[in-house]
Amino acid sequence: MATSIVFMGTPEFAVPILQSLIDAPEYNVQAVLTQPDHRVGRKHVLTPSPVKKVAVENKIKVLQPAKLNKSPEMDEIIAMHPDFMITAAYGQFLPTKMLDAAKIAAINVHGSLLPKYRGGAPVQYSIINGDKETGISIMYMVKKMDAGDVIAQRAIPIEKDDDNGTMFKKLSILGRDLLLETLPKLIQGDAEATPQDESKVVFSPNITTAQERIDYRMTAQQIDDKVRGLRPAPLGNMVIDGLRTKIYDVTPLDEKTELAPGKVVRLTKHQLVLAAGQGTTYQVNRLKPAGKQAMDITAYLNGHQDLHEGGQAVTDD
């Protein structure tokens, strides 16, 4: 008899994990919980989550409570008494009463090397903070956020060109594979779990609008890390030539400067080099000024003849 599972997830990160459980004959995904459909784009088109799309395609029951606690959907899941409850970036806390309904375990596939980066934005923070690696932790779910004992963990390097988009894809595959390795051990009772060291906890709350601002006084490498950590969404921004501008891509350079952070170090028809903190410099490659389309630096400079070397290109408004 197949092992029964209730799966909870919302974004693309969770899709390979869910699909692997659907494809494995030894598992039976009884139901999927995901966040309610939300409106997308200028036309505000009501759009289902990536996880819902997969569930519907595979004719799996979908539940979408706006608030899970004390909802009819929670009672319905509890009545199922699945062997496993598995979450992967679901987006809501699971009440203890619900966690206790799992016959074998309620577990979470989390995108960090716990206890580092508990919270909703672990991948973004790992890149923003310049970490050399991140990974997946599979842990028991408890009432406290991301605080359960870790059952399995695997690391993966963060390459210099990785952003949160590429890392989410890599981690979703890593999470899929590690989960499939871990589930049989849990079923057989052979899994060992390690309590998290509370003295090493680092939190990664959801990125706020204020955090999207790039401080031009950071070093060039820190600016690059933040740009990549916020790409492809929500994107970091700074003020360039008086306009708040979203930054898609920069390149830290080896050259040093005595100019103050924010000054133009070098300007040609195809290159804009800015001074950053501690005498470092970086090249802006792609950006999106307010009210305009994203463009490469050549197209941008073609419409900004007022910039000049040694002038103030970035301001702290």
Side-chain angles (χ1 to χ4, degrees), residues 109-168:
V109 183
H110 184 74
S112 81
L113 299 174
L114 292 169
K116 196 172 188 180
Y117 302 133
R118 292 181 183 176
V123 180
Q124 291 91 329
Y125 279 88
S126 66
I127 299 172
I128 290 170
N129 290 340
D131 293 356
K132 300 303 180 184
E133 67 175 10
T134 184
I136 289 290
S137 298
I138 296 179
M139 64 178 180
Y140 289 112
M141 282 190 283
V142 294
K143 187 175 182 179
K144 188 176 179 181
M145 182 179 64
D146 298 332
D149 293 354
V150 175
I151 308 162
Q153 197 169 75
R154 188 163 296 161
I156 187 172
I158 300 174
E159 306 294 345
K160 65 178 183 178
D161 293 329
D162 275 323
D163 57 24
N164 76 58
T166 63
M167 287 311 302
F168 267 116

Side-chain angles (χ1 to χ4, degrees), residues 238-282:
M238 61 170 58
V239 174
I240 297 183
D241 200 25
L243 290 177
R244 187 170 299 279
T245 303
K246 291 187 175 182
I247 308 297
Y248 280 83
D249 185 59
V250 302
T251 302
L253 303 177
D254 291 332
E255 65 185 275
K256 295 290 186 177
T257 182
E258 294 183 359
L259 291 174
K263 295 282 188 175
V264 176
V265 175
R266 187 164 60 257
L267 180 66
T268 70
K269 290 182 179 180
H270 307 289
Q271 187 182 48
L272 174 62
V273 176
L274 299 176
Q278 299 180 25
T280 59
T281 63
Y282 62 101

Side-chain angles (χ1 to χ4, degrees), residues 32-49:
V32 165
L33 270 74
T34 190
Q35 294 285 63
D37 297 358
H38 66 287
R39 298 192 179 277
V40 175
R42 293 182 178 180
K43 295 184 178 180
H44 303 287
V45 177
L46 196 61
T47 305
S49 74

